[in-house]
Amino acid sequence: MRHTGMRIGHHVAIDRDFDYLIGQEEFINIEDYVAIGNGVKFWNFNHINVGSFCHFAADSTLVNGGHNISSLEPFSGPLVIGRGCWIGNGARIVGSLVIGDNVIIAAGAVVVEDIPAGAVVAGVPARIIKMRDLADRQWHLGDEFFSPATFQLIRDE
């Protein structure tokens, strides 16, 4: 996918059926250590930036464009997903939004507003249900862990 103009970091895993707007690949930036599950969709009408150590469960969708309900004129804006976020199965993130670092978005949630760092959100529309108490180590994949403060891999000595 890098040859299309999409910026993809190191150690990124993208499962089958990942979909996006062809011809606008340069709008997508995926940082290091990101895992994208089966059937995930990025409708990149504008810039989408995904921070390092994010996980996207199957069938989650990002869309940063829409239509004015009066005129149906299209609009779009940037969408930023912070570092260390978990996006649950079937979640939808809709709009020009900023999702803070270390956010968890529950399965099936529909996010239509900015989310502050460390929040856990659920529901339609998504609402904050709690703030996370972050452990010093966060699991990534396999036997890898990262620091939720520095977003660096933690190497066991």
Side-chain angles (χ1 to χ4, degrees), residues 3-49:
H3 72 279
T4 67
M6 196 179 300
R7 291 177 304 282
I8 301 173
H10 299 288
H11 309 286
V12 172
I14 299 175
D15 207 337
R16 68 184 188 279
D17 297 329
F18 173 62
D19 205 0
Y20 55 90
L21 293 179
I22 295 172
Q24 297 191 162
E25 294 88 352
E26 71 278 3
F27 284 161
I28 297 174
N29 180 51
I30 301 170
E31 295 180 7
D32 298 339
Y33 296 99
V34 172
I36 297 175
N38 183 39
V40 170
K41 295 167 183 60
F42 285 13
W43 300 132
N44 47 304
F45 295 98
N46 202 305
H47 294 277
I48 292 176
N49 189 76

Side-chain angles (χ1 to χ4, degrees), residues 130-150:
K130 69 182 294 185
M131 297 302 288
R132 296 181 66 194
D133 284 325
L134 293 170
D136 292 337
R137 295 173 13 132
Q138 299 290 302
W139 178 79
H140 177 56
L141 290 174
D143 60 356
E144 293 181 328
F145 290 83
F146 69 95
S147 164
T150 65

Side-chain angles (χ1 to χ4, degrees), residues 97-109:
L97 304 176
V98 176
I99 308 302
D101 291 341
N102 298 308
V103 165
I104 295 175
I105 298 174

Side-chain angles (χ1 to χ4, degrees), residues 75-114:
F75 62 85
S76 65
L79 173 57
V80 177
I81 307 294
R83 299 168 296 175
C85 294
W86 281 72
I87 314 302
N89 189 288
R92 305 291 184 255
I93 302 172
V94 182
S96 177
L97 304 176
V98 176
I99 308 302
D101 291 341
N102 298 308
V103 165
I104 295 175
I105 298 174
V110 178
V111 178
V112 294
E113 296 178 344
D114 292 349

